[in-house]
Each structure stands twice: as C-alpha cells, then as structure tokens.
C-alpha cells in the first residue's frame, strides 16, 4: 500500500488531487491486462464473474433435469447432485453476485459517479482482481481433482463437510476453503478502495447527501462485506485445521463408517454461528447494491426524483447495521434456547421495516412519473415485484414456529431464490442494459432485450412459484430423487417436470442476452454520451467510453442526482455539474429567440 | 459472539453519528455552488483513512477469533495450557518496539532524520525478535507435550499467536519500505507518512497482543 501514497495526495484536498500523477500504461498488456484503471478492472471482474456464473447456470440445469425427469436422464449420480448443488450455490452467491456488484459495478461506477479520476489505491485494486481470478481458478480446479468438488452444501456445515461419505473430502473441500480465503483477501483489497474512494476522492461539491443511491448501496455493502467476510475466513481457517491437522474446533467425537474418528469434543454449532454471522450480511451484500442501482434506474427512467432520498440513505444504513444481529434466524432448527429464537425473530421482523420503506419509496417514485418503459426500466420494475414476493415469504420464515416445519424444504429454496437470486440478477441485467452504452459506446438491441426480459421475468415465476407449494407438501431440499413418499401428492412429479422445462427455457434466454452483448459491440447503434438523459456524472464525460482518468477536467457538482422534470427547466433533466446560473441564462436566451 | 457484537456496535454507532452530522439539516434537493471547503473530504491523508479502514477489518477478524474462543472454551474438553514465562519477555519486546516507532514518529515531526532511523531500527528489530520469541515459546510448549491437536486450548493458542505474527509480517513489509527510503537519504517529508503509519500499526498490534495475552492468561 505504501507506494501508492502519492505525497501529493497526502495533505491536500480533492481539488488539488487533480494533478496526482496517474499511472500511464504504455503497452497493450499494461493497458488491458495488467491494468490499474478501475474501469478495466471492472470489466475484468465482470467477465470473470459472468463466465463462472454461466458454469453455475449449467449446473442448475443439470440438477433440474435430474429432478424433473429422474428416470430419463442419467447424467449424474447422487454424489454429483450434491456437488453441483454446492458449487451452484457458492458460485452464484459469492463468485458471481458479490464479485459482479462490488468488483464489477463498484469499480466502474464509484470513481465516475463520485467525480474521481480513479480509485485511491490503483495498484492494490489491480492485485484485488488477480487474487479473485486465482480464487476462481482454484474453485474450477476442484472439479478436476480426484474425488471432485465438495458436496457439503454451500453452507459447508461440519461435521459432514469433512467426514468420509461426503463427496469431495479429499481435495474438493480443501480447494473450496482455500479459494474462499483467497476471495476474501482479494475482496478486502478491493473493498478498501471502494470505501476510501467514496470517503476521500469525491469531487468539489459532491457532498455525501448528493451521492447517487447507487454509490450509497455499493458503499454500505462494501462496509458490510469488509466486516462480515472475516467471519467466513475464521470458519474457513479453523475448518482447514480440523481437516488437515486434526484439531477439533468444530468436529465432535463421532463414529464414522464404523470407526471412531480422532476428533473429540468440537462444536458444529460454533461453525454455524460463524458461518451465518457472515451468511446473513452476505444477503445484504448482494441486496444493497441492487437497492441502490434500482433506485437510480427507476428515477432516471421515470423522469422523477427519487422519493424520500434521505430516507433511502438512512434505510440503507439501518439495514446494514441491523443485518449483523439477525444471523441466528438461519439456525432455528439447531436446538437453540427459545429466548434466543424470540430475539432473532424480533430483529428479523424489525429489519423488514426499513426494507419496506424502500419498497414504498420505489413505488412512490413511479407514481405519476413520465415512465419510459425501456429495457433497464422493465428489469427495475421486475425487481420490485420479485423482491416483494421474496420478502413476504421471508416474513414467514423469520418466525420460529413457521420456520420449523418449512426449514430445509423447497419453500426455503423458493424464498431465497426469489429474494437473493432472481431479484439481484434482474438488477444486474437492468444495470448492464443501462450502463453498457457508457462502457462500450453502443446501445444494446432493444427488441432482443425485451425478449430477454419477458422470458426471464415470467420464466423465473414459472420456476419458483410452484416451489413454494412443493415446499408446503414437504419436498426436502438437496435431494437427488424423492422416490415414493407418503406425504407428496402424485402430481408433484408433474410439477417438477414443468419447473424443469421452465428452467431450461430461462437458461436458453440467457443466450439471447449473451448474443446481444457480443453483437452490439460492433453492430449496436451509437449511444452518444448520454442516451438516457441522465443526471449523474458518468454520463457527463467528454469521451464515451471514458478515457483513463475519466474526466478531462474534474467536474464541480451543484446539485443532487435527481433533478428530473424540474418545473421551468429547459430539459427534463439537469446534470449534477450544471450550475443554476447557466440554466437561467439558457432560459432567457430561449425566451428571446 | 459478544466481543464481536460489542466491536461492531461501537463501529456502527460511529458511522451513524458521522452520518447524522453529514445529513442533519441538509436539504439534498437544493442546488448550490460548491463552497471552497470540502465537506469532510481530504482533511486526512487518504492513506491514513485506508489504514484506519484496514484496522477495522483486522479488528473484526480478531474479535471473531476471540468470540470463537469464548464459545469453544465453554465445552467440557477444554484444558487450559500453562503459558510459558517467555511470553512476558516477548510482550516487553513488543512494547519496546512500539516505543521505538513512536520515537521515530516524534523525530520525524521534528525533522530529525537520525532519530527516525534509530526509532525505525528499534521497531523492526523488536518485531523480529518478538516473532522469534514466539517461535521459541511454541517449541517449549511442544517439548512439554502441548501439541496442537491434543486440546482445543492448545489449538487456539497456536492459531491466535500465528495470526498475530502474520499481521506483524505484513507490517514488516511496510516497515522495510520505509526504512530503505530513510536510508536512501530522501527528504524527511517523504519518510514521515510511512513512519507514522508504521507506528500506528505497531501500536494496534501491541494492543491486540495485550488483549490476546490477557485472554490466554485468564483462561
Ligand atoms: C435459472 C436460474 C436458477 C436455477 C434454475 C436454480 C436452480 C437451483 C436448484 C435446482 C437448486 C438445488 C435445490 C436443492 O436440491 O436443494 C438450487 C440451489 C441454490 N441456488 Fe439456485 N438456481 C438458479 C439461480 C440461482 C442464483 C442466481 C443464485 C444466487 C444467489 C442461486 C443460489 C442458490 C443457492 C444458494 C442454492 C442452495 C445451495 C445449497 O443448498 O447448498 N441460484 N438452485
Ligand atoms: Cu438471514
């Protein structure tokens, strides 16, 4: 870190930071591969995350084929199923969503939206990506080691995660834990950048209360991640020691395959506490950036200021703070003291209050807006719908007595896919359609985008709505096949088949998206600098895509990011860097003419 | 999880307090020309803010280990291990190291390059001596039959001490950069920031060690 402490930036305010020397790449490699430019790093993060995300998508389709048509396809055996569930879940949550929102959108948008030339520690930022890439490669490597990847479930609960009989206890689990540790190290390097850039590198006039909500969401999510990922690191280190050296942090005395193991006295519940101390904030690590981005998409495309800006900021902060005291709602079935259960149910319901405030504010932002139903807007509205659905089932599961029978059923699978899988993914899509024109200078195709939206949006409902019902019937999660049960109705299998067909259609719809991404690079319409007529600073750059250093001259900020449809203004939007005098001048010219 | 929750509670309270100051009486929708002053930005060197955020992350990590320690300790198989007396000596050495860097910091603000060099040497040598001392303590425990696998108390002892040492190594990298710069005879102003950061980090690791040592002694 020391060598990036340019002495120029040491003692002076941001205005003078202007002449801080940027690192100047000379070769192709320096510019696009070994690059310290946050925008290039963002794209590297995004491509890597999407690539590994596609692996997770393929895994889910294979699982669905097994579940929907258990006797038709024999692609996988029961151990493979467990391995695929695990890898699918872990990749989606951590290596795709966390990396894409923070490493991808965070890197691209924070410096631009704050009016900075780059992240504050560009060298550390670059290393962050390469460590992330190493983590991803280790994870992929676990598919090829003897025994395959771990099948412990994405929660990696001991003792089963490292006991004989679970797939991948030889190499898979070790690679998984090391990969997670690397991910955390890499993320911490990036996260320091995101936080400190927001705190220190905002341009003149960009007060905290003028930051776009996108930046607020990513900022708070990064704070959560910086504080919560250590809990995962602690559990990963201790589990590695249990597995490699034979300590008994988590492993109790037990008889495995007829033999007494060497472990003694460890506490699996300790692992659960540590894991969920990370795991619950993780939900908000992917949700808060989505909240922020969606607020900006809704406001921009409804041509209206966001309803209750300050309330939105405070809700983000409140959700972030509260998310550290709800973790044990994932452990209602671990036999905890009923008073604890009561406490955690209460905090869980309290966190619903700021969340609900956000939802009301989104809806009120749309109210009587001049809505432009373009693709980013469709995805943003789709998010609000889906998030409400997933949030409501969360209220059910947050109550101990309701959770006990539903725990480990498809009701839970449906709930978390709605709230933390589909919702953030919809925002990812919306955000890509929204910012692609700035990143590449080309528009994505509108028609293909709409096809992509409708199939994905309706398709995910076809997938996950029926799962709630299956969960009520008692269909357990993480099962390879159900066989004959007394409690499942016969039609359940038909429903499973229908879900699988929907999942395949949704998966193929993503090919339309990929095709659109690649085709538009060359064939897309030219975007111009500000195709959406948006107010935030990234749309006001002189070059599109912005060059290294982002701005020719650092902008000064005169207003918040939400001056849409201001009465009396010439256009229905006023960029953040336009002073009021210019508006007055423009108007009088207009009247004279 | 109590130690972690206390730490996070304090941290969140600070964040909220800071945000209240930034947002109360502010009307975000009112446009105005940027004033000369930069609201809350740039009063501190960016790298110092960076170090501060990093220390918060490290504190979170140590607090979580302490929480895990406290939970695991309650179980019936826990047999406390006798801390080697050497740890007291090591603690003293670490303390001297902190004093050394504080000395360097003071010398730096008085523009005395000699004092800076002396302080830096003391700080670095003490840190290295501390790590060697810890290794000797490990060997003593091993020789006395307190292996990492024989009891969770032992396992935590080795784990916590190595984690602390790893953080010290990280500090030594920054220290090395600073001291080479000081020896290259560069302007004192270019060394000052590095010295200051090293000193803060050494103090942080001293406090962490005192807490860990206290925990090990009292249980
Ligand atoms: C078309 C999209 C998707 C489909 C068809 C799908 C399907 C599945 C299936 C079949 C399972 C296994 C259920 C079981 O047997 O218990 C599963 C588990 C899971 N999925 Fe997805 N999924 C999709 C997208 C996502 C996304 C975007 C996320 C990101 C958060 C995600 C996160 C998870 C998690 C965390 C699990 C639990 C893994 C475990 O039990 O260890 N999924 N999904
Ligand atoms: Cu939760």
């Amino acid at each position: 870190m020391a060598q990036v402490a340019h002495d120029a930036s040491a003692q002076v305010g941001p205005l003078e930071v202007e002449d801080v020397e940027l690192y100047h790449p000379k070769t192709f490699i320096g510019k696009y591969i070994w690059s310290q430019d946050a925008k290039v790093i963002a794209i590297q993060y995004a491509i890597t995350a999407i690539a590994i995300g596609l692996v997770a998508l393929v895994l889910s389709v294979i699982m669905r084929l097994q579940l929907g048509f258990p006797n038709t396809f024999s692609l996988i055996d029961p151990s493979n199923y467990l391995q695929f569930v695990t890898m699918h879940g872990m990749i989606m949550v951590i290596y795709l969503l966390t990396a894409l929102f923070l490493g991808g959108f965070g890197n691209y948008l924070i410096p631009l939206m704050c009016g900075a030339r780059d992240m504050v520690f560009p060298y550390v930022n670059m290393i962050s990506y390469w460590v992330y890439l190493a983590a991803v490669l280790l994870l992929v490597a676990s598919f090829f080691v003897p025994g395959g990847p771990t099948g412990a479930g994405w929660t990696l609960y001991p003792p089963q995660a490292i006991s004989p009989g679970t797939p991948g206890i030889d190499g898979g689990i070790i690679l998984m834990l090391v990969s997670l540790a690397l991910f955390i190290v890499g993320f911490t390097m990036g996260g320091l950048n995101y936080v400190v850039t927001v705190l220190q590198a905002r341009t003149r006039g960009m007060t905290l209360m003028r930051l776009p909500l996108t930046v607020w969401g990513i900022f708070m999510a990064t704070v959560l991640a910086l504080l919560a990922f250590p809990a995962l690191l602690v559990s990963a280190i201790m589990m590695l020691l249990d597995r490699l050296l034979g300590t008994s942090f988590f492993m109790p005395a037990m008889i495995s395959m007829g033999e007494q193991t060497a472990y003694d006295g460890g506490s699996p519940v300790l692992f659960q506490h540590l894991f969920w101390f990370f795991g619950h904030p993780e939900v908000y690590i992917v949700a808060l950036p989505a909240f922020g981005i969606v607020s900006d998409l809704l406001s921009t495309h409804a041509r209206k200021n966001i309803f209750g800006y300050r309330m939105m900021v405070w809700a983000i902060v409140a959700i972030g703070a509260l998310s550290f005291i709800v973790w044990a709602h994932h452990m209602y079935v671990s036999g905890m003291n009923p008073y604890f259960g009561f406490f955690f149910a209460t905090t869980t319901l309290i966190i619903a209050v700021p969340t609900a405030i956000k939802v009301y504010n989104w809806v009120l932002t749309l109210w009587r807006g001049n809505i432009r139903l373009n693709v980013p807007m469709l995805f943003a509205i789709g998010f609000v719908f889906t998030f409400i659905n997933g949030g409501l089932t969360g209220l059910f599961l947050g109550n101990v007595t309701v959770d006990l029978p539903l725990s480990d059923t498809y009701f839970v699978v449906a709930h978390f896919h709605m709230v933390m899988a589909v919702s953030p993914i919809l925002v990812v899509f919306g955000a890509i359609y929204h910012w692609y024109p700035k990143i590449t200078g080309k528009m994505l195709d509108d028609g293909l985008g709409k096809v992509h939206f409708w199939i994905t949006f309706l398709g995910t409902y076809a997938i996950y709505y029926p799962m709630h019902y299956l969960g009520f019937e008692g269909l357990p999660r993480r099962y390879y096949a159900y066989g004959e049960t007394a409690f499942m109705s016969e039609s359940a299998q038909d429903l499973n088949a229908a879900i699988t067909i929907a999942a395949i259609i949704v998966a193929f719809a993503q090919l339309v998206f990929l095709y659109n991404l690649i085709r538009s690079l060359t064939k897309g319409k030219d975007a111009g600098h500000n195709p959406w007529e948006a107010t935030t600073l990234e749309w006001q750059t002189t070059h599109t895509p912005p060059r290294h250093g982002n701005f020719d001259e650092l902008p000064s900020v005169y207003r918040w990011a939400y001056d849409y449809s201001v009465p009396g203004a010439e256009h229905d939007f006023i960029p953040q860097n336009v002073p009021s005098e210019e508006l007055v001048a423009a108007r009088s010219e207009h009247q004279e003419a | 999880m109590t130690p972690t929750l206390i730490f996070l509670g304090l941290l969140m309270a600070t964040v909220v307090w800071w945000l209240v100051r930034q947002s109360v009486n502010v009307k975000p929708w009112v446009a105005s020309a940027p004033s000369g002053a930069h609201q809350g930005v740039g009063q501190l060197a960016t790298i110092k803010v960076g170090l501060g955020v990093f220390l918060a992350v490290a504190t979170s990590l140590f607090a979580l280990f302490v929480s895990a320690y406290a939970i695991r300790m309650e179980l019936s198989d826990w047999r406390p291990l006798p801390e080697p007396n050497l740890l007291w000596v090591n603690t003293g050495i670490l303390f001297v190291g902190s004093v050394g860097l504080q000395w360097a910091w003071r010398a730096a603000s008085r523009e005395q390059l000699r004092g800076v060099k002396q302080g830096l040497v003391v700080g670095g040598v003490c840190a290295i001596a501390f790590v060697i001392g810890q290794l000797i303590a490990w060997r003593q425990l091993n020789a006395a039959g307190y292996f990492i696998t024989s009891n969770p108390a032992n396992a935590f002892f080795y784990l916590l001490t190595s984690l602390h040492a790893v953080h010290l190594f990280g500090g030594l990298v920054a220290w090395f950069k600073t001291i080479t710069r000081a020896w290259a005879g560069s302007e004192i102003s270019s060394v000052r920031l590095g010295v200051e950061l090293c000193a803060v980090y050494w103090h942080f690791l001293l406090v962490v060690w005192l807490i860990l040592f206290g925990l090990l002694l009292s249980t």
Side-chain angles (χ1 to χ4, degrees):
Chain A
M1 223 182 291
Q3 79 275 32
V4 285
H6 292 294
D7 295 310
S9 65
Q11 305 296 345
V12 292
L15 195 57
E16 293 81 45
V17 172
E18 218 173 312
D19 22 67
V20 163
E21 216 177 285
L22 285 167
Y23 118 103
H24 289 294
K26 290 177 196 75
T27 56
F28 176 84
I29 293 193
K31 204 161 172 188
Y32 296 108
I33 299 184
W34 200 241
S35 169
Q36 301 185 18
D37 182 347
K39 295 188 294 301
V40 178
I41 298 173
I43 293 167
Q44 293 172 327
Y45 254 112
I47 290 177
T48 315
I50 292 174
I52 190 76
L54 285 174
V55 173
L57 181 71
V58 171
L59 294 179
S60 71
V61 171
I62 298 175
M63 287 189 290
R64 273 319 315 178
L65 283 175
Q66 165 60 33
L67 294 174
F69 308 97
N71 304 318
T72 322
F73 299 95
S74 35
L75 291 170
I76 51 174
D77 63 20
S79 323
N80 293 147
Y81 189 87
L82 290 177
Q83 293 170 318
F84 287 8
V85 173
T86 307
M87 298 306 270
H88 162 80
M90 196 66 103
I91 291 176
M92 286 291 193
V93 174
I94 296 193
Y95 298 85
L96 170 69
L97 285 179
T98 307
L100 187 53
F101 270 129
L102 303 181
F105 289 110
N107 263 317
Y108 204 91
L109 294 176
I110 288 176
L112 276 166
M113 284 186 151
C114 292
R117 294 219 177 275
D118 204 334
M119 287 288 181
V120 287
F121 312 123
Y123 184 77
V124 183
N125 202 22
M126 171 181 78
I127 302 294
S128 157
Y129 168 72
W130 294 102
V131 177
Y132 164 66
L133 183 66
V136 170
L137 292 179
L138 273 191
L139 192 76
V140 173
S142 77
F143 279 98
F144 302 102
V145 294
T150 176
W154 88 282
T155 45
L156 304 178
Y157 279 2
Q160 134 268 7
I162 53 176
S163 297
T166 308
I169 66 152
D170 299 321
I173 184 75
I174 297 173
L175 284 176
M176 170 64 86
L177 295 172
V178 175
S179 167
L180 285 174
L182 273 185
F183 180 92
I184 295 164
V185 171
F187 169 76
T188 304
M189 298 185 194
L192 287 176
N193 267 295
Y194 318 151
V195 168
V196 179
T197 303
V198 173
L199 291 178
Q200 292 290 109
R202 303 190 311 272
T203 190
R204 239 167 87 100
M206 183 59 91
T207 59
L208 280 177
M209 285 290 136
R210 280 179 181 166
L211 283 174
L213 285 167
T214 299
V215 176
W216 270 110
I218 296 177
F219 175 74
M220 198 61 198
T222 308
V223 171
L224 289 191
L226 284 173
L227 298 171
F229 269 121
L232 184 63
L233 185 61
V234 169
S235 28
I237 291 176
M238 300 209 311
M239 199 194 283
L240 264 180
L241 292 178
D242 276 7
R243 167 70 183 72
L244 293 175
L245 300 184
T247 54
S248 298
F249 289 111
F250 301 134
M251 294 296 282
M254 57 179 203
I255 293 176
S256 167
M257 309 216 143
E259 276 178 55
Q260 178 79 37
T261 61
Y263 297 116
D264 190 22
S267 166
V269 173
L270 170 58
F271 177 89
Q272 296 195 13
H273 278 297
L274 290 170
F275 182 86
W276 288 113
F277 200 81
F278 143 78
H280 187 82
E282 172 62 31
V283 175
Y284 288 99
I285 292 166
V286 303
L288 291 180
F291 289 177
I293 290 173
V294 119
S295 309
D296 284 352
L297 296 192
L298 290 174
S299 169
T300 306
H301 299 292
R303 318 307 294 166
K304 251 188 80 184
N305 66 304
I306 190 82
F307 189 92
Y309 174 84
R310 281 182 301 181
M311 227 194 294
M312 294 299 250
V313 172
W314 275 104
I316 287 177
V317 175
I319 292 171
L322 286 173
S323 72
F324 279 107
I325 49 167
V326 299
W327 79 92
H329 63 208
H330 298 274
M331 299 164 58
Y332 289 152
V333 290
S334 69
M336 64 164 86
N337 182 324
Y339 288 111
F340 281 142
F342 176 74
F343 173 80
F344 284 106
T346 312
T347 51
T348 303
L349 298 186
I350 289 176
I351 210 172
V353 175
T355 314
I357 288 180
K358 297 199 75 84
V359 173
Y360 290 128
N361 286 356
W362 289 323
V363 175
L364 288 168
T365 302
L366 290 176
W367 176 251
R368 307 187 116 187
N370 175 14
I371 294 178
R372 299 179 178 173
L373 264 190
N374 44 32
V375 182
M377 186 62 155
L378 286 173
F379 276 105
I381 297 175
F383 162 84
V384 176
F385 270 95
T386 311
F387 189 73
I388 293 175
N389 272 304
L392 286 177
T393 49
L395 292 181
F396 287 60
L397 294 174
N399 287 286
V400 187
T401 42
V402 186
D403 179 65
L404 291 183
L406 288 175
S407 182
D408 266 330
T409 68
Y410 262 75
F411 191 84
V412 174
V413 176
H415 156 70
F416 72 66
H417 274 98
M418 280 301 220
V419 82
M420 81 165 303
V422 180
S423 304
I425 283 283
L426 290 175
V427 177
V428 165
F429 289 139
I432 291 178
Y433 283 97
H434 185 79
W435 277 294
Y436 186 91
K438 181 50 66 176
I439 298 171
T440 64
K442 306 280 183 182
M443 303 296 286
L444 282 168
D445 188 84
D446 203 52
L448 289 179
K450 284 187 173 145
V451 170
H452 175 221
F453 168 74
W454 284 110
I455 299 182
T456 306
F457 179 66
L458 296 178
T460 48
Y461 276 73
I463 299 173
Y464 296 109
Y465 253 31
M467 283 192 193
H468 292 92
Y469 169 74
L470 290 174
F472 275 138
E473 284 210 333
L475 186 68
R477 90 188 250 212
R478 293 179 179 165
Y479 270 41
Y480 165 73
Y482 309 100
E484 300 283 313
T485 60
F487 51 85
M488 299 293 300
S489 52
E490 275 173 33
S491 57
Q493 188 49 48
D494 299 336
L495 206 51
N496 256 327
I499 293 175
T500 297
I501 292 170
I504 292 172
I505 295 174
V506 169
F508 274 101
Q510 308 318 308
L511 294 181
V512 177
F513 173 61
L514 287 182
Y515 172 73
N516 198 353
L517 279 186
I518 294 167
R519 198 190 88 113
S520 303
L521 272 182
T522 50
K523 303 252 166 69
K525 265 188 301 182
D526 272 337
H529 295 310
N530 192 359
W532 310 116
E533 306 185 289
T535 55
T536 39
L537 293 180
E538 79 274 23
W539 300 105
Q540 323 306 332
T541 56
T542 19
H543 300 281
T544 300
R547 299 207 175 146
H548 187 46
N550 291 348
F551 303 96
D552 285 352
E553 198 182 316
L554 280 185
S556 286
V557 167
Y558 296 86
R559 57 190 71 249
W560 68 344
Y562 301 100
D563 270 345
Y564 289 106
S565 308
V566 177
E570 190 186 4
H571 299 289
D572 77 340
F573 71 105
I574 312 176
Q576 284 189 276
N577 58 347
V578 171
S580 303
E581 303 85 65
E582 249 173 59
L583 290 174
V584 176
R587 197 163 354 134
S588 44
E589 262 173 46
H590 210 70
Q591 279 161 355
E592 278 164 33
Chain B
M1 303 309 276
T2 325
T4 315
L5 286 175
I6 292 174
F7 163 66
L8 286 179
L10 291 175
L11 193 68
M12 288 299 169
T14 325
V15 171
V16 167
W17 171 79
W18 164 78
L19 192 59
V20 168
R21 284 194 17 182
Q22 301 274 334
S23 68
V24 98
N25 281 333
V26 174
K27 295 192 175 64
W29 54 90
V30 176
S32 65
S35 58
H38 314 291
Q39 288 83 349
V41 184
Q43 288 147 0
L44 270 175
T46 299
I47 185 87
K48 286 191 206 165
V49 179
L51 180 67
V53 177
F54 176 74
L55 292 187
V57 177
T59 309
S60 175
L61 184 68
F62 282 108
L64 282 155
F65 268 114
V66 171
S67 302
Y69 188 96
I71 296 179
R72 186 67 182 80
M73 196 179 80
E74 300 295 319
L75 301 183
S76 58
D77 63 336
W78 184 274
R79 304 272 170 283
L81 82 173
E83 283 74 23
N85 283 332
L86 180 59
L87 290 189
W88 288 98
V89 180
N90 292 351
T91 309
I93 294 178
L94 196 63
F95 181 76
V96 175
S98 250
V99 172
L101 281 175
Q102 184 67 31
W103 175 270
W105 185 358
R106 244 183 48 163
S109 48
R110 293 181 185 170
E111 317 249 318
Q112 298 160 338
L113 193 58
R114 234 175 85 87
V116 172
K117 286 181 181 172
Q118 287 166 344
L120 276 173
V121 170
V122 172
V125 168
C126 283
I128 296 168
F130 172 83
V131 176
I132 296 174
Q134 298 285 79
L135 279 177
I136 298 175
W138 277 25
R139 296 189 57 146
Q140 290 179 350
L141 280 173
N142 247 314
Y146 293 95
F147 305 121
I148 185 167
T149 48
S150 37
N151 196 270
N154 308 356
F156 265 109
F157 177 84
Y158 291 109
L159 182 55
L160 292 176
T161 45
S162 23
L163 189 76
H164 182 259
V166 166
H167 279 80
L168 258 183
F169 276 123
L172 280 172
V173 174
W175 168 83
F176 184 74
K177 281 195 175 135
T178 315
I179 200 161
T180 41
R181 213 181 293 172
W183 240 264
S186 29
E187 285 291 300
I188 194 138
S189 60
S190 77
V191 200
R192 191 189 294 137
L193 194 61
V195 172
E196 198 176 330
L197 296 173
C198 282
V200 171
Y201 192 61
W202 254 243
H203 298 342
F204 169 77
L205 285 183
L206 176 65
V207 172
V208 168
W209 171 249
L210 291 178
I211 293 173
L212 294 180
F213 192 37
L215 184 73
L216 293 168
L217 283 180
S218 64
T219 52

